[in-house]
PDB file of all heavy atoms in Angstrom:
ATOM      1  N   VAL I 237     109.264 106.655 124.711  1.00  0.00           N
ATOM      2  CA  VAL I 237     108.597 106.447 123.394  1.00  0.00           C
ATOM      3  C   VAL I 237     107.827 107.598 122.963  1.00  0.00           C
ATOM      4  O   VAL I 237     106.956 108.124 123.796  1.00  0.00           O
ATOM      5  CB  VAL I 237     107.671 105.186 123.384  1.00  0.00           C
ATOM      6  CG1 VAL I 237     107.132 104.824 122.050  1.00  0.00           C
ATOM      7  CG2 VAL I 237     108.362 103.962 124.076  1.00  0.00           C
ATOM      8  N   HIS I 238     108.057 108.082 121.688  1.00  0.00           N
ATOM      9  CA  HIS I 238     107.498 109.433 121.368  1.00  0.00           C
ATOM     10  C   HIS I 238     107.168 109.404 119.804  1.00  0.00           C
ATOM     11  O   HIS I 238     107.733 108.689 119.025  1.00  0.00           O
ATOM     12  CB  HIS I 238     108.371 110.587 121.718  1.00  0.00           C
ATOM     13  CG  HIS I 238     109.605 110.578 120.984  1.00  0.00           C
ATOM     14  ND1 HIS I 238     109.747 111.388 119.737  1.00  0.00           N
ATOM     15  CD2 HIS I 238     110.795 109.973 121.001  1.00  0.00           C
ATOM     16  CE1 HIS I 238     110.922 111.222 119.200  1.00  0.00           C
ATOM     17  NE2 HIS I 238     111.630 110.456 119.961  1.00  0.00           N
ATOM     18  N   GLY I 239     106.219 110.372 119.584  1.00  0.00           N
ATOM     19  CA  GLY I 239     105.987 110.581 118.150  1.00  0.00           C
ATOM     20  C   GLY I 239     106.717 111.677 117.700  1.00  0.00           C
ATOM     21  O   GLY I 239     107.542 112.272 118.523  1.00  0.00           O
ATOM     22  N   ILE I 240     106.620 112.129 116.372  1.00  0.00           N
ATOM     23  CA  ILE I 240     107.283 113.151 115.841  1.00  0.00           C
ATOM     24  C   ILE I 240     106.408 114.021 115.128  1.00  0.00           C
ATOM     25  O   ILE I 240     105.586 113.643 114.326  1.00  0.00           O
ATOM     26  CB  ILE I 240     108.455 112.778 114.816  1.00  0.00           C
ATOM     27  CG1 ILE I 240     109.483 111.676 115.478  1.00  0.00           C
ATOM     28  CG2 ILE I 240     109.239 113.835 114.209  1.00  0.00           C
ATOM     29  CD1 ILE I 240     110.424 111.077 114.577  1.00  0.00           C
ATOM     30  N   GLY I 241     106.509 115.314 115.450  1.00  0.00           N
ATOM     31  CA  GLY I 241     105.585 116.342 114.749  1.00  0.00           C
ATOM     32  C   GLY I 241     106.194 117.120 113.641  1.00  0.00           C
ATOM     33  O   GLY I 241     107.480 117.363 113.745  1.00  0.00           O
ATOM     34  N   ARG I 242     105.471 117.679 112.748  1.00  0.00           N
ATOM     35  CA  ARG I 242     106.037 118.642 111.708  1.00  0.00           C
ATOM     36  C   ARG I 242     106.004 119.940 112.518  1.00  0.00           C
ATOM     37  O   ARG I 242     105.085 120.259 113.257  1.00  0.00           O
ATOM     38  CB  ARG I 242     105.096 118.726 110.475  1.00  0.00           C
ATOM     39  CG  ARG I 242     105.328 117.594 109.590  1.00  0.00           C
ATOM     40  CD  ARG I 242     104.338 117.574 108.462  1.00  0.00           C
ATOM     41  NE  ARG I 242     104.050 118.967 107.994  1.00  0.00           N
ATOM     42  CZ  ARG I 242     103.250 119.259 107.052  1.00  0.00           C
ATOM     43  NH1 ARG I 242     102.604 118.323 106.484  1.00  0.00           N
ATOM     44  NH2 ARG I 242     103.095 120.573 106.516  1.00  0.00           N
ATOM     45  N   ALA I 243     107.011 120.745 112.187  1.00  0.00           N
ATOM     46  CA  ALA I 243     107.191 121.957 112.979  1.00  0.00           C
ATOM     47  C   ALA I 243     106.049 122.927 112.763  1.00  0.00           C
ATOM     48  O   ALA I 243     105.556 123.413 113.729  1.00  0.00           O
ATOM     49  CB  ALA I 243     108.443 122.696 112.489  1.00  0.00           C
ATOM     50  N   ASP I 244     105.528 123.113 111.472  1.00  0.00           N
ATOM     51  CA  ASP I 244     104.460 124.010 111.234  1.00  0.00           C
ATOM     52  C   ASP I 244     103.056 123.538 111.941  1.00  0.00           C
ATOM     53  O   ASP I 244     102.418 124.385 112.400  1.00  0.00           O
ATOM     54  CB  ASP I 244     104.204 124.110 109.709  1.00  0.00           C
ATOM     55  CG  ASP I 244     104.052 122.790 108.990  1.00  0.00           C
ATOM     56  OD1 ASP I 244     104.215 121.816 109.602  1.00  0.00           O
ATOM     57  OD2 ASP I 244     103.661 122.793 107.710  1.00  0.00           O
ATOM     58  N   VAL I 245     102.899 122.135 111.908  1.00  0.00           N
ATOM     59  CA  VAL I 245     101.660 121.723 112.477  1.00  0.00           C
ATOM     60  C   VAL I 245     101.700 121.917 113.937  1.00  0.00           C
ATOM     61  O   VAL I 245     100.769 122.315 114.629  1.00  0.00           O
ATOM     62  CB  VAL I 245     101.470 120.309 112.112  1.00  0.00           C
ATOM     63  CG1 VAL I 245     100.212 119.546 113.001  1.00  0.00           C
ATOM     64  CG2 VAL I 245     101.287 120.022 110.786  1.00  0.00           C
ATOM     65  N   MET I 246     102.823 121.526 114.618  1.00  0.00           N
ATOM     66  CA  MET I 246     102.933 121.655 116.135  1.00  0.00           C
ATOM     67  C   MET I 246     103.090 123.095 116.600  1.00  0.00           C
ATOM     68  O   MET I 246     102.490 123.377 117.680  1.00  0.00           O
ATOM     69  CB  MET I 246     104.337 120.955 116.543  1.00  0.00           C
ATOM     70  CG  MET I 246     104.101 119.415 116.326  1.00  0.00           C
ATOM     71  SD  MET I 246     102.717 118.528 117.071  1.00  0.00           S
ATOM     72  CE  MET I 246     102.893 119.049 118.792  1.00  0.00           C
ATOM     73  N   ALA I 247     103.503 124.002 115.691  1.00  0.00           N
ATOM     74  CA  ALA I 247     103.584 125.462 116.132  1.00  0.00           C
ATOM     75  C   ALA I 247     102.131 125.987 116.363  1.00  0.00           C
ATOM     76  O   ALA I 247     101.630 126.648 117.175  1.00  0.00           O
ATOM     77  CB  ALA I 247     104.237 126.323 115.035  1.00  0.00           C
ATOM     78  N   GLN I 248     101.330 125.561 115.410  1.00  0.00           N
ATOM     79  CA  GLN I 248      99.812 125.884 115.478  1.00  0.00           C
ATOM     80  C   GLN I 248      99.097 125.297 116.688  1.00  0.00           C
ATOM     81  O   GLN I 248      98.452 125.782 117.385  1.00  0.00           O
ATOM     82  CB  GLN I 248      99.082 125.458 114.189  1.00  0.00           C
ATOM     83  CG  GLN I 248      99.476 126.153 112.993  1.00  0.00           C
ATOM     84  CD  GLN I 248      98.909 127.567 112.851  1.00  0.00           C
ATOM     85  OE1 GLN I 248      98.110 127.894 113.608  1.00  0.00           O
ATOM     86  NE2 GLN I 248      99.406 128.287 111.996  1.00  0.00           N
ATOM     87  N   ARG I 249      99.425 123.993 116.947  1.00  0.00           N
ATOM     88  CA  ARG I 249      98.773 123.193 118.007  1.00  0.00           C
ATOM     89  C   ARG I 249      99.218 123.704 119.422  1.00  0.00           C
ATOM     90  O   ARG I 249      98.473 123.729 120.309  1.00  0.00           O
ATOM     91  CB  ARG I 249      99.272 121.728 117.924  1.00  0.00           C
ATOM     92  CG  ARG I 249      98.379 120.784 118.788  1.00  0.00           C
ATOM     93  CD  ARG I 249      98.665 119.404 118.435  1.00  0.00           C
ATOM     94  NE  ARG I 249      98.159 119.077 117.117  1.00  0.00           N
ATOM     95  CZ  ARG I 249      98.424 117.933 116.499  1.00  0.00           C
ATOM     96  NH1 ARG I 249      99.204 117.009 117.137  1.00  0.00           N
ATOM     97  NH2 ARG I 249      97.957 117.743 115.292  1.00  0.00           N
ATOM     98  N   ARG I 250     100.510 124.345 119.410  1.00  0.00           N
ATOM     99  CA  ARG I 250     101.016 124.848 120.705  1.00  0.00           C
ATOM    100  C   ARG I 250     100.692 126.317 120.840  1.00  0.00           C
ATOM    101  O   ARG I 250     101.104 126.980 121.782  1.00  0.00           O
ATOM    102  CB  ARG I 250     102.571 124.614 120.803  1.00  0.00           C
ATOM    103  CG  ARG I 250     103.026 123.237 121.099  1.00  0.00           C
ATOM    104  CD  ARG I 250     104.620 123.165 121.229  1.00  0.00           C
ATOM    105  NE  ARG I 250     104.971 121.782 121.757  1.00  0.00           N
ATOM    106  CZ  ARG I 250     104.840 121.391 122.990  1.00  0.00           C
ATOM    107  NH1 ARG I 250     104.659 122.400 123.838  1.00  0.00           N
ATOM    108  NH2 ARG I 250     105.311 120.166 123.385  1.00  0.00           N
ATOM    109  N   HIS I 251      99.980 126.843 119.876  1.00  0.00           N
ATOM    110  CA  HIS I 251      99.711 128.221 119.884  1.00  0.00           C
ATOM    111  C   HIS I 251     100.844 129.197 120.043  1.00  0.00           C
ATOM    112  O   HIS I 251     100.734 130.076 120.899  1.00  0.00           O
ATOM    113  CB  HIS I 251      98.531 128.543 120.928  1.00  0.00           C
ATOM    114  CG  HIS I 251      97.373 127.668 120.878  1.00  0.00           C
ATOM    115  ND1 HIS I 251      96.480 127.774 119.778  1.00  0.00           N
ATOM    116  CD2 HIS I 251      96.962 126.568 121.617  1.00  0.00           C
ATOM    117  CE1 HIS I 251      95.460 126.787 119.892  1.00  0.00           C
ATOM    118  NE2 HIS I 251      95.846 126.129 121.007  1.00  0.00           N
ATOM    119  N   LEU I 252     101.820 128.978 119.280  1.00  0.00           N
ATOM    120  CA  LEU I 252     102.943 129.823 119.427  1.00  0.00           C
ATOM    121  C   LEU I 252     102.716 131.329 118.974  1.00  0.00           C
ATOM    122  O   LEU I 252     101.840 131.441 118.228  1.00  0.00           O
ATOM    123  CB  LEU I 252     104.128 129.297 118.555  1.00  0.00           C
ATOM    124  CG  LEU I 252     104.729 127.890 118.929  1.00  0.00           C
ATOM    125  CD1 LEU I 252     105.969 127.641 118.313  1.00  0.00           C
ATOM    126  CD2 LEU I 252     105.023 127.867 120.454  1.00  0.00           C
ATOM    127  N   THR I 253     103.462 132.228 119.414  1.00  0.00           N
ATOM    128  CA  THR I 253     103.303 133.546 119.066  1.00  0.00           C
ATOM    129  C   THR I 253     103.684 133.770 117.607  1.00  0.00           C
ATOM    130  O   THR I 253     104.488 132.964 117.063  1.00  0.00           O
ATOM    131  CB  THR I 253     104.252 134.503 119.980  1.00  0.00           C
ATOM    132  OG1 THR I 253     105.585 134.264 119.756  1.00  0.00           O
ATOM    133  CG2 THR I 253     103.808 134.392 121.424  1.00  0.00           C
ATOM    134  N   VAL I 254     103.235 134.948 117.020  1.00  0.00           N
ATOM    135  CA  VAL I 254     103.584 135.252 115.693  1.00  0.00           C
ATOM    136  C   VAL I 254     105.030 135.359 115.590  1.00  0.00           C
ATOM    137  O   VAL I 254     105.697 134.929 114.508  1.00  0.00           O
ATOM    138  CB  VAL I 254     102.828 136.515 115.250  1.00  0.00           C
ATOM    139  CG1 VAL I 254     103.354 136.952 113.813  1.00  0.00           C
ATOM    140  CG2 VAL I 254     101.337 136.346 115.242  1.00  0.00           C
ATOM    141  N   GLU I 255     105.739 136.030 116.541  1.00  0.00           N
ATOM    142  CA  GLU I 255     107.232 136.166 116.487  1.00  0.00           C
ATOM    143  C   GLU I 255     107.766 134.790 116.522  1.00  0.00           C
ATOM    144  O   GLU I 255     108.829 134.609 115.660  1.00  0.00           O
ATOM    145  CB  GLU I 255     107.605 136.927 117.715  1.00  0.00           C
ATOM    146  CG  GLU I 255     107.214 138.361 117.687  1.00  0.00           C
ATOM    147  CD  GLU I 255     105.736 138.580 118.215  1.00  0.00           C
ATOM    148  OE1 GLU I 255     105.166 137.664 118.689  1.00  0.00           O
ATOM    149  OE2 GLU I 255     105.230 139.634 117.921  1.00  0.00           O
ATOM    150  N   ASN I 256     107.317 133.727 117.245  1.00  0.00           N
ATOM    151  CA  ASN I 256     108.034 132.434 117.275  1.00  0.00           C
ATOM    152  C   ASN I 256     107.826 131.761 115.955  1.00  0.00           C
ATOM    153  O   ASN I 256     108.705 131.093 115.583  1.00  0.00           O
ATOM    154  CB  ASN I 256     107.613 131.697 118.558  1.00  0.00           C
ATOM    155  CG  ASN I 256     108.171 132.109 119.761  1.00  0.00           C
ATOM    156  OD1 ASN I 256     109.449 132.732 119.834  1.00  0.00           O
ATOM    157  ND2 ASN I 256     107.651 131.946 120.852  1.00  0.00           N
ATOM    158  N   MET I 257     106.615 131.835 115.429  1.00  0.00           N
ATOM    159  CA  MET I 257     106.323 131.194 114.141  1.00  0.00           C
ATOM    160  C   MET I 257     107.142 131.797 113.017  1.00  0.00           C
ATOM    161  O   MET I 257     107.717 131.049 112.111  1.00  0.00           O
ATOM    162  CB  MET I 257     104.886 131.428 113.806  1.00  0.00           C
ATOM    163  CG  MET I 257     103.872 130.517 114.684  1.00  0.00           C
ATOM    164  SD  MET I 257     102.235 130.557 114.045  1.00  0.00           S
ATOM    165  CE  MET I 257     101.397 129.423 115.174  1.00  0.00           C
TER     166      MET I 257
END
Side-chain angles (χ1 to χ4, degrees):
V237 189
H238 68 95
I240 300 169
R242 283 176 40 181
D244 56 346
V245 174
M246 294 306 296
Q248 293 284 347
R249 193 169 297 171
R250 285 182 173 276
H251 305 293
L252 296 189
T253 65
V254 174
E255 292 78 12
N256 280 337
M257 287 191 178

